[in-house]
Amino acid sequence: MARLPKLTRFNDNVLSKYQIYNSIFMTLPFDTISNTGVLLPLFHEICKNGFDNGNNPTEIVDLFFQKYQENPSDQNKKDLLFLFIQYIERQVVLFDAIEDAAFPIVNNMDGIGTLRNSKEIAILNEKKEELKKHLEDFKVRIVLTAHPTQFYPGSVLGIITDLDKAIQNDDLLLIKKLLAQLGKTPFYKKAKPTPYDEAISLIWYLENVFYHSISKIYNYVQQHIYDGEPLENEIIDLGFWPGGDRDGNPFVTTKITLDVAERLRQSILRSYYGDVKRLKRRFTFDGVQEILAKVEKRLYKHVVRSYKKVNFSQKILLSELEAAREIVKTKHNSLFIEELNDFINKVRIFGFHFATLDIRQDSRVHHKAFTQIVDDLAADGDTTFPKNYHHLSEDEQILILSLVKGNIDPKILSDEMSVKTIESIYALKTIQARNGERGANRYIISNNQSALNVMQTFAMLNLCGFENELPVDVIPLFETVDDLENSSDVMRTLYSNQAYRYHLTKRKNKQTIMLGFSDGTKDGGYLMANWGIFKAKEALTKISREFDIEVIFFDGRGGPPARGGGKTHQFYASLGPTIEDKEIQLTIQGQTISSNFGTLNSSQFNLEQLISSGIKNEVFTKDQLNDKHREIIEDLADTSYKTYVNFKNHPQFLPYLEKMSTLKYYAKTNIGSRPSKRSNSDTLDFSALRAIPFVGSWSQLKQNVPGFFGVGTALKKYEEAGRFDEIIEFYNASDFFKTLLENSMMSLTKSFFGLTAYMADDSVFGEFWKLIFKEYETTKRLFLKLTGDQELMENFPIGKASIEMRENIVLPLLTIQQYALKQIQDLQKTDGNIKEIEVYEKMVMRSLFGNINASRNSA
């Protein structure tokens, strides 16, 4: 039977089902006011028509109450708006669950970018041996971070999972019950989560999704590409930040780091225990049964209790399982051996750590802590550092730092941050002893500006009594435009240092370097951040190859394109031979986890897409920029950067964000353990502002500035010079440039200036709003001219349809949010309205949740 077009499959299995289940949902009574479900569609219609007619959010809300309510009191109005928010939040969840359920129907699980497809192409092109060779050392590392970009508590995630299954089974009765449950389950957290709470919620994904999808992919590679032969490479690694990421998070303590590592260990052993119980039902044969019973007993012991002394490890467990496998093979005709192989593969992949817990801290914090450590050691009579250390040049300090060894006692340190820093390194040692070296073997230095930043961390690690070689990778994170430009000089200094170079030989001659899209975009704008990172990767590849070091790039990517998200696998597939690509490492967070990796199907599909992007780049094609293209993108990035920096330096820039957006409300929501800015200052300081609330606030305004501002002006320069055909040629010739602009188009598609058009008349911010709108219109016009399309994202009908539906669902929510913000502004003009203002502030915060959750397909 012919397969229906993808858009038809989406319309039939997502949009149509949503209409049906939503109509059921709207009739369910969740509260005393039974007509909320009747009134919401009417409000939605008034919002839609209102914006089409150029009305502002306040006029729209007022019109609704005039038309459908008889003289409602102020309290009744507020109550109904809060109820609307509750309903819309749940409509978003319903749409999520339907989209998840339809994932394998809408997406071809064996199509382009899947492993089956890559294998078939390799065989067709007689490149199977090349493919095998590539997969011997190619890796994808997915690092789960707790950055707060999603607001679902665990109870709601559970309902989404159950709804997904019920929808797949068309179980109408269960769907109805689950929708009723959803209506009564609170969505917002009454208290701020701790980093440990964040870890628990992400471990849910490890146990319920990654444990199964990763092993399934590994088994496929082993059976169909390696023909059943053993494969030494794990192919997919997992990383984990909650509990280890100290950057700007005062709530991450050493105890929490150790507790999270222990929870990871317990979680993987519990998963193994469940598998062994299942295997025992199959392997009821002599010799094998005894081994599995012994393994089950040991796992149970270590799951139930956390022993101080560890006498059980991945190595011991594997040797037991290999012995069982040999008996099955030689004495029992390999009966059910695939199931045992699957379990052995899981133990190889996940070890006793499940996911590697990364430690991260800001270089500025380190510098301060390290300076104090030097002083405290001197005060204690220690001669590790010369008395004049602080007065030496950077080169002289680096030389001393490279030779430092010791076993520092945190008790002699006088400064709290120094104690915490040293304790976190000792925690690393403890975790390695319990979970294996892969339990925690990476130390990331954010905001890394110099070689000295890396060497201070290197010295602190060496001061903590590691025997012989240091089993930890020191990873600099380059974020700002300037730091990206200087990154290759920093690495040259490090590679030239004898002690650091020796350390790298003991780390298999590999150096991981992290690059931050979020702060890069916030600092330099969309084009400059992406091009700056591309150039930095080229320069870092060149310098690393010069020193015979394999550089591994770790990308700090967020959900929306403005933070390095968008179609990530297409980005990796478009990198040329000038960028090292033996491993793909990236952070995923918030709605990116739930949308791209939230179910077994989506997780398997998206992991395979990432693996295949590496295969495409390495085995099949190499997309290389020529000199002319380089000149163009350099010029575009430069123009865009100047435009963005001028915009950022506009006197209204920070006041606009502070007064007209939801920026300050991010700090008040209880979604993440981390503060929304790095300093405690009451005044808004751009450099201390975190990228997530920054990008998120533009997103809530439906202006998505970080994803496009400056791009239109850069393209217009070529149009005015009569050189736009060069841009068209470049766009059609380069996958890199195409993906870059297509991700920016996604930011534009999610913009809706009709929502805030009323700001054009504001006496203070009117001209500033018009400036943003003008750049949006220029960018949109030139994107359509470039692609020859009538509307944005015409070539991505599924993504476009999904975005349109989500934007449609949250239109009333956005209207309520803008209405509440305007009420706050008006109430602040006179005194005595504190109570009233608090109610509207709560309305703004509550509407934040649904808007962010609805944007899940931004990644």
Side-chain angles (χ1 to χ4, degrees), residues 789-824:
D789 294 336
Q790 295 302 303
E791 30 183 49
L792 295 169
M793 288 184 73
E794 214 169 275
N795 292 337
F796 302 96
I798 307 302
K800 185 177 165 59
S802 179
I803 288 170
E804 281 175 358
M805 191 61 200
R806 288 171 180 280
E807 299 294 318
N808 186 43
I809 292 169
V810 295
L811 186 67
L813 201 59
L814 292 163
T815 311
I816 292 168
Q817 187 182 80
Q818 284 299 318
Y819 167 78
L821 283 168
K822 188 78 175 73
Q823 293 296 316
I824 293 164

mmCIF file of all heavy atoms in Angstrom, residues 789-824:
data_model
loop_
_atom_site.group_PDB
_atom_site.id
_atom_site.type_symbol
_atom_site.label_atom_id
_atom_site.label_comp_id
_atom_site.label_asym_id
_atom_site.label_seq_id
_atom_site.Cartn_x
_atom_site.Cartn_y
_atom_site.Cartn_z
ATOM 1 N N ASP A 789 9.948 31.320 -1.725
ATOM 2 C CA ASP A 789 8.700 30.795 -1.152
ATOM 3 C C ASP A 789 7.706 31.921 -0.889
ATOM 4 O O ASP A 789 8.075 33.106 -0.829
ATOM 5 C CB ASP A 789 8.983 30.062 0.163
ATOM 6 C CG ASP A 789 9.811 28.789 -0.052
ATOM 7 O OD1 ASP A 789 9.779 28.254 -1.167
ATOM 8 O OD2 ASP A 789 10.483 28.347 0.911
ATOM 9 N N GLN A 790 6.454 31.521 -0.676
ATOM 10 C CA GLN A 790 5.396 32.484 -0.330
ATOM 11 C C GLN A 790 5.349 32.723 1.178
ATOM 12 O O GLN A 790 4.976 33.776 1.644
ATOM 13 C CB GLN A 790 4.028 31.947 -0.785
ATOM 14 C CG GLN A 790 3.892 31.818 -2.299
ATOM 15 C CD GLN A 790 4.114 33.141 -3.033
ATOM 16 O OE1 GLN A 790 3.430 34.119 -2.752
ATOM 17 N NE2 GLN A 790 5.084 33.172 -3.942
ATOM 18 N N GLU A 791 5.704 31.683 1.943
ATOM 19 C CA GLU A 791 5.707 31.825 3.403
ATOM 20 C C GLU A 791 6.895 31.089 4.014
ATOM 21 O O GLU A 791 7.502 30.215 3.382
ATOM 22 C CB GLU A 791 4.383 31.351 4.023
ATOM 23 C CG GLU A 791 3.681 30.261 3.259
ATOM 24 C CD GLU A 791 2.346 29.879 3.881
ATOM 25 O OE1 GLU A 791 1.534 30.767 4.180
ATOM 26 O OE2 GLU A 791 2.155 28.672 4.079
ATOM 27 N N LEU A 792 7.228 31.456 5.251
ATOM 28 C CA LEU A 792 8.385 30.866 5.930
ATOM 29 C C LEU A 792 8.161 29.375 6.191
ATOM 30 O O LEU A 792 7.038 28.937 6.433
ATOM 31 C CB LEU A 792 8.632 31.574 7.271
ATOM 32 C CG LEU A 792 9.037 33.052 7.195
ATOM 33 C CD1 LEU A 792 8.975 33.678 8.573
ATOM 34 C CD2 LEU A 792 10.439 33.216 6.612
ATOM 35 N N MET A 793 9.255 28.615 6.169
ATOM 36 C CA MET A 793 9.250 27.171 6.475
ATOM 37 C C MET A 793 8.345 26.365 5.532
ATOM 38 O O MET A 793 7.826 25.324 5.901
ATOM 39 C CB MET A 793 8.847 26.911 7.942
ATOM 40 C CG MET A 793 9.914 27.294 8.942
ATOM 41 S SD MET A 793 9.457 26.873 10.637
ATOM 42 C CE MET A 793 9.623 25.091 10.645
ATOM 43 N N GLU A 794 8.181 26.871 4.302
ATOM 44 C CA GLU A 794 7.346 26.176 3.319
ATOM 45 C C GLU A 794 7.866 24.766 3.043
ATOM 46 O O GLU A 794 7.099 23.854 2.769
ATOM 47 C CB GLU A 794 7.337 26.985 2.016
ATOM 48 C CG GLU A 794 6.022 26.920 1.271
ATOM 49 C CD GLU A 794 5.970 27.939 0.140
ATOM 50 O OE1 GLU A 794 5.609 29.106 0.400
ATOM 51 O OE2 GLU A 794 6.314 27.569 -0.987
ATOM 52 N N ASN A 795 9.188 24.595 3.114
ATOM 53 C CA ASN A 795 9.783 23.280 2.832
ATOM 54 C C ASN A 795 9.720 22.333 4.024
ATOM 55 O O ASN A 795 10.182 21.197 3.942
ATOM 56 C CB ASN A 795 11.261 23.428 2.409
ATOM 57 C CG ASN A 795 11.379 24.105 1.070
ATOM 58 O OD1 ASN A 795 10.428 24.079 0.288
ATOM 59 N ND2 ASN A 795 12.512 24.725 0.812
ATOM 60 N N PHE A 796 9.221 22.823 5.153
ATOM 61 C CA PHE A 796 9.124 21.979 6.356
ATOM 62 C C PHE A 796 7.679 21.977 6.841
ATOM 63 O O PHE A 796 7.352 22.510 7.900
ATOM 64 C CB PHE A 796 10.065 22.497 7.454
ATOM 65 C CG PHE A 796 11.493 22.538 7.003
ATOM 66 C CD1 PHE A 796 12.045 23.719 6.521
ATOM 67 C CD2 PHE A 796 12.277 21.388 7.021
ATOM 68 C CE1 PHE A 796 13.355 23.756 6.077
ATOM 69 C CE2 PHE A 796 13.584 21.421 6.573
ATOM 70 C CZ PHE A 796 14.126 22.595 6.097
ATOM 71 N N PRO A 797 6.786 21.379 6.038
ATOM 72 C CA PRO A 797 5.348 21.497 6.348
ATOM 73 C C PRO A 797 4.965 20.920 7.706
ATOM 74 O O PRO A 797 4.073 21.448 8.368
ATOM 75 C CB PRO A 797 4.673 20.727 5.205
ATOM 76 C CG PRO A 797 5.742 19.875 4.597
ATOM 77 C CD PRO A 797 7.021 20.598 4.819
ATOM 78 N N ILE A 798 5.659 19.848 8.153
ATOM 79 C CA ILE A 798 5.297 19.239 9.447
ATOM 80 C C ILE A 798 5.677 20.184 10.585
ATOM 81 O O ILE A 798 4.871 20.486 11.464
ATOM 82 C CB ILE A 798 6.013 17.881 9.673
ATOM 83 C CG1 ILE A 798 5.780 16.955 8.485
ATOM 84 C CG2 ILE A 798 5.542 17.214 10.966
ATOM 85 C CD1 ILE A 798 4.364 16.660 8.184
ATOM 86 N N GLY A 799 6.935 20.641 10.560
ATOM 87 C CA GLY A 799 7.388 21.575 11.595
ATOM 88 C C GLY A 799 6.519 22.818 11.617
ATOM 89 O O GLY A 799 6.122 23.306 12.679
ATOM 90 N N LYS A 800 6.186 23.308 10.420
ATOM 91 C CA LYS A 800 5.359 24.513 10.297
ATOM 92 C C LYS A 800 3.953 24.266 10.870
ATOM 93 O O LYS A 800 3.429 25.069 11.642
ATOM 94 C CB LYS A 800 5.282 24.903 8.818
ATOM 95 C CG LYS A 800 4.568 26.205 8.542
ATOM 96 C CD LYS A 800 4.628 26.504 7.042
ATOM 97 C CE LYS A 800 3.664 27.572 6.638
ATOM 98 N NZ LYS A 800 3.872 28.842 7.318
ATOM 99 N N ALA A 801 3.371 23.113 10.512
ATOM 100 C CA ALA A 801 2.009 22.789 10.980
ATOM 101 C C ALA A 801 1.984 22.629 12.497
ATOM 102 O O ALA A 801 1.052 23.087 13.174
ATOM 103 C CB ALA A 801 1.520 21.506 10.305
ATOM 104 N N SER A 802 3.041 21.995 13.044
ATOM 105 C CA SER A 802 3.114 21.793 14.494
ATOM 106 C C SER A 802 3.246 23.137 15.214
ATOM 107 O O SER A 802 2.562 23.402 16.202
ATOM 108 C CB SER A 802 4.301 20.887 14.834
ATOM 109 O OG SER A 802 4.395 20.705 16.215
ATOM 110 N N ILE A 803 4.133 23.996 14.693
ATOM 111 C CA ILE A 803 4.322 25.323 15.302
ATOM 112 C C ILE A 803 3.009 26.111 15.246
ATOM 113 O O ILE A 803 2.585 26.705 16.239
ATOM 114 C CB ILE A 803 5.457 26.099 14.585
ATOM 115 C CG1 ILE A 803 6.820 25.485 14.934
ATOM 116 C CG2 ILE A 803 5.438 27.582 14.970
ATOM 117 C CD1 ILE A 803 7.979 26.005 14.102
ATOM 118 N N GLU A 804 2.355 26.086 14.073
ATOM 119 C CA GLU A 804 1.108 26.857 13.921
ATOM 120 C C GLU A 804 0.040 26.391 14.912
ATOM 121 O O GLU A 804 -0.670 27.197 15.501
ATOM 122 C CB GLU A 804 0.587 26.741 12.475
ATOM 123 C CG GLU A 804 1.326 27.660 11.519
ATOM 124 C CD GLU A 804 0.919 27.466 10.065
ATOM 125 O OE1 GLU A 804 0.078 26.575 9.782
ATOM 126 O OE2 GLU A 804 1.451 28.191 9.216
ATOM 127 N N MET A 805 -0.056 25.071 15.098
ATOM 128 C CA MET A 805 -1.065 24.541 16.010
ATOM 129 C C MET A 805 -0.749 24.955 17.447
ATOM 130 O O MET A 805 -1.634 25.359 18.206
ATOM 131 C CB MET A 805 -1.125 23.012 15.887
ATOM 132 C CG MET A 805 -2.317 22.400 16.582
ATOM 133 S SD MET A 805 -3.869 23.006 15.891
ATOM 134 C CE MET A 805 -5.001 22.629 17.207
ATOM 135 N N ARG A 806 0.510 24.848 17.824
ATOM 136 C CA ARG A 806 0.912 25.221 19.182
ATOM 137 C C ARG A 806 0.688 26.718 19.417
ATOM 138 O O ARG A 806 0.209 27.129 20.469
ATOM 139 C CB ARG A 806 2.378 24.859 19.419
ATOM 140 C CG ARG A 806 2.580 23.374 19.551
ATOM 141 C CD ARG A 806 4.068 22.995 19.555
ATOM 142 N NE ARG A 806 4.170 21.552 19.681
ATOM 143 C CZ ARG A 806 4.052 20.891 20.824
ATOM 144 N NH1 ARG A 806 3.862 21.555 21.944
ATOM 145 N NH2 ARG A 806 4.115 19.580 20.860
ATOM 146 N N GLU A 807 1.066 27.526 18.422
ATOM 147 C CA GLU A 807 0.872 28.977 18.549
ATOM 148 C C GLU A 807 -0.624 29.297 18.660
ATOM 149 O O GLU A 807 -1.026 30.197 19.396
ATOM 150 C CB GLU A 807 1.475 29.713 17.340
ATOM 151 C CG GLU A 807 2.981 29.525 17.164
ATOM 152 C CD GLU A 807 3.812 30.126 18.270
ATOM 153 O OE1 GLU A 807 3.503 31.241 18.716
ATOM 154 O OE2 GLU A 807 4.764 29.474 18.730
ATOM 155 N N ASN A 808 -1.426 28.529 17.933
ATOM 156 C CA ASN A 808 -2.876 28.723 17.963
ATOM 157 C C ASN A 808 -3.433 28.386 19.356
ATOM 158 O O ASN A 808 -4.255 29.125 19.907
ATOM 159 C CB ASN A 808 -3.513 27.828 16.889
ATOM 160 C CG ASN A 808 -4.994 28.072 16.765
ATOM 161 O OD1 ASN A 808 -5.455 29.203 16.770
ATOM 162 N ND2 ASN A 808 -5.760 27.007 16.684
ATOM 163 N N ILE A 809 -2.952 27.278 19.937
ATOM 164 C CA ILE A 809 -3.429 26.866 21.268
ATOM 165 C C ILE A 809 -3.125 27.946 22.310
ATOM 166 O O ILE A 809 -3.947 28.254 23.168
ATOM 167 C CB ILE A 809 -2.800 25.508 21.686
ATOM 168 C CG1 ILE A 809 -3.324 24.368 20.790
ATOM 169 C CG2 ILE A 809 -3.099 25.187 23.153
ATOM 170 C CD1 ILE A 809 -2.566 23.045 20.951
ATOM 171 N N VAL A 810 -1.891 28.511 22.235
ATOM 172 C CA VAL A 810 -1.491 29.458 23.302
ATOM 173 C C VAL A 810 -1.847 30.917 23.005
ATOM 174 O O VAL A 810 -1.551 31.781 23.816
ATOM 175 C CB VAL A 810 0.029 29.368 23.635
ATOM 176 C CG1 VAL A 810 0.376 28.018 24.211
ATOM 177 C CG2 VAL A 810 0.892 29.694 22.428
ATOM 178 N N LEU A 811 -2.517 31.181 21.878
ATOM 179 C CA LEU A 811 -2.876 32.575 21.567
ATOM 180 C C LEU A 811 -3.652 33.253 22.713
ATOM 181 O O LEU A 811 -3.303 34.359 23.123
ATOM 182 C CB LEU A 811 -3.668 32.638 20.250
ATOM 183 C CG LEU A 811 -3.979 34.060 19.761
ATOM 184 C CD1 LEU A 811 -2.702 34.796 19.359
ATOM 185 C CD2 LEU A 811 -4.954 34.025 18.578
ATOM 186 N N PRO A 812 -4.674 32.585 23.292
ATOM 187 C CA PRO A 812 -5.369 33.226 24.430
ATOM 188 C C PRO A 812 -4.452 33.428 25.633
ATOM 189 O O PRO A 812 -4.590 34.404 26.373
ATOM 190 C CB PRO A 812 -6.488 32.230 24.769
ATOM 191 C CG PRO A 812 -6.636 31.358 23.575
ATOM 192 C CD PRO A 812 -5.288 31.294 22.933
ATOM 193 N N LEU A 813 -3.507 32.502 25.808
ATOM 194 C CA LEU A 813 -2.567 32.587 26.935
ATOM 195 C C LEU A 813 -1.664 33.807 26.786
ATOM 196 O O LEU A 813 -1.432 34.559 27.735
ATOM 197 C CB LEU A 813 -1.729 31.297 26.951
ATOM 198 C CG LEU A 813 -1.045 30.886 28.244
ATOM 199 C CD1 LEU A 813 -2.055 30.692 29.352
ATOM 200 C CD2 LEU A 813 -0.283 29.569 28.028
ATOM 201 N N LEU A 814 -1.164 34.011 25.573
ATOM 202 C CA LEU A 814 -0.316 35.173 25.290
ATOM 203 C C LEU A 814 -1.109 36.466 25.490
ATOM 204 O O LEU A 814 -0.595 37.459 26.010
ATOM 205 C CB LEU A 814 0.191 35.107 23.839
ATOM 206 C CG LEU A 814 1.181 33.990 23.518
ATOM 207 C CD1 LEU A 814 1.268 33.770 22.015
ATOM 208 C CD2 LEU A 814 2.561 34.311 24.085
ATOM 209 N N THR A 815 -2.348 36.428 25.067
ATOM 210 C CA THR A 815 -3.217 37.610 25.208
ATOM 211 C C THR A 815 -3.405 37.952 26.686
ATOM 212 O O THR A 815 -3.282 39.119 27.090
ATOM 213 C CB THR A 815 -4.594 37.336 24.545
ATOM 214 O OG1 THR A 815 -4.380 36.813 23.238
ATOM 215 C CG2 THR A 815 -5.432 38.589 24.468
ATOM 216 N N ILE A 816 -3.674 36.918 27.490
ATOM 217 C CA ILE A 816 -3.856 37.134 28.935
ATOM 218 C C ILE A 816 -2.575 37.685 29.551
ATOM 219 O O ILE A 816 -2.603 38.604 30.383
ATOM 220 C CB ILE A 816 -4.278 35.806 29.628
ATOM 221 C CG1 ILE A 816 -5.686 35.394 29.187
ATOM 222 C CG2 ILE A 816 -4.215 35.942 31.158
ATOM 223 C CD1 ILE A 816 -6.083 33.964 29.580
ATOM 224 N N GLN A 817 -1.415 37.133 29.123
ATOM 225 C CA GLN A 817 -0.137 37.588 29.687
ATOM 226 C C GLN A 817 0.101 39.070 29.379
ATOM 227 O O GLN A 817 0.471 39.844 30.272
ATOM 228 C CB GLN A 817 1.017 36.752 29.123
ATOM 229 C CG GLN A 817 2.342 37.064 29.789
ATOM 230 C CD GLN A 817 3.477 36.249 29.178
ATOM 231 O OE1 GLN A 817 3.987 36.590 28.122
ATOM 232 N NE2 GLN A 817 3.862 35.181 29.832
ATOM 233 N N GLN A 818 -0.115 39.466 28.132
ATOM 234 C CA GLN A 818 0.090 40.868 27.756
ATOM 235 C C GLN A 818 -0.917 41.783 28.460
ATOM 236 O O GLN A 818 -0.578 42.881 28.888
ATOM 237 C CB GLN A 818 -0.029 41.033 26.230
ATOM 238 C CG GLN A 818 1.186 40.551 25.471
ATOM 239 C CD GLN A 818 2.452 41.295 25.847
ATOM 240 O OE1 GLN A 818 2.462 42.518 26.006
ATOM 241 N NE2 GLN A 818 3.543 40.561 26.023
ATOM 242 N N TYR A 819 -2.140 41.297 28.600
ATOM 243 C CA TYR A 819 -3.183 42.047 29.314
ATOM 244 C C TYR A 819 -2.729 42.298 30.762
ATOM 245 O O TYR A 819 -2.813 43.423 31.273
ATOM 246 C CB TYR A 819 -4.499 41.254 29.281
ATOM 247 C CG TYR A 819 -5.565 41.740 30.230
ATOM 248 C CD1 TYR A 819 -6.327 42.874 29.937
ATOM 249 C CD2 TYR A 819 -5.837 41.051 31.417
ATOM 250 C CE1 TYR A 819 -7.319 43.318 30.809
ATOM 251 C CE2 TYR A 819 -6.827 41.485 32.296
ATOM 252 C CZ TYR A 819 -7.553 42.621 31.982
ATOM 253 O OH TYR A 819 -8.536 43.053 32.844
ATOM 254 N N ALA A 820 -2.212 41.229 31.407
ATOM 255 C CA ALA A 820 -1.771 41.338 32.811
ATOM 256 C C ALA A 820 -0.577 42.284 32.930
ATOM 257 O O ALA A 820 -0.506 43.100 33.857
ATOM 258 C CB ALA A 820 -1.423 39.951 33.347
ATOM 259 N N LEU A 821 0.374 42.200 31.988
ATOM 260 C CA LEU A 821 1.541 43.092 32.021
ATOM 261 C C LEU A 821 1.107 44.557 31.898
ATOM 262 O O LEU A 821 1.629 45.425 32.582
ATOM 263 C CB LEU A 821 2.519 42.735 30.876
ATOM 264 C CG LEU A 821 3.393 41.501 31.084
ATOM 265 C CD1 LEU A 821 4.080 41.097 29.782
ATOM 266 C CD2 LEU A 821 4.456 41.739 32.163
ATOM 267 N N LYS A 822 0.134 44.813 31.026
ATOM 268 C CA LYS A 822 -0.360 46.185 30.833
ATOM 269 C C LYS A 822 -1.074 46.677 32.100
ATOM 270 O O LYS A 822 -0.908 47.827 32.514
ATOM 271 C CB LYS A 822 -1.316 46.212 29.622
ATOM 272 C CG LYS A 822 -1.730 47.619 29.203
ATOM 273 C CD LYS A 822 -0.613 48.302 28.407
ATOM 274 C CE LYS A 822 -1.008 49.654 27.867
ATOM 275 N NZ LYS A 822 -1.101 50.727 28.841
ATOM 276 N N GLN A 823 -1.838 45.789 32.738
ATOM 277 C CA GLN A 823 -2.520 46.154 33.988
ATOM 278 C C GLN A 823 -1.481 46.547 35.049
ATOM 279 O O GLN A 823 -1.659 47.535 35.767
ATOM 280 C CB GLN A 823 -3.354 44.972 34.514
ATOM 281 C CG GLN A 823 -4.538 44.585 33.643
ATOM 282 C CD GLN A 823 -5.588 45.675 33.549
ATOM 283 O OE1 GLN A 823 -5.958 46.298 34.530
ATOM 284 N NE2 GLN A 823 -6.052 45.931 32.329
ATOM 285 N N ILE A 824 -0.398 45.766 35.133
ATOM 286 C CA ILE A 824 0.667 46.052 36.115
ATOM 287 C C ILE A 824 1.259 47.437 35.850
ATOM 288 O O ILE A 824 1.432 48.245 36.770
ATOM 289 C CB ILE A 824 1.767 44.959 36.068
ATOM 290 C CG1 ILE A 824 1.205 43.610 36.559
ATOM 291 C CG2 ILE A 824 2.990 45.354 36.905
ATOM 292 C CD1 ILE A 824 2.049 42.391 36.214
#
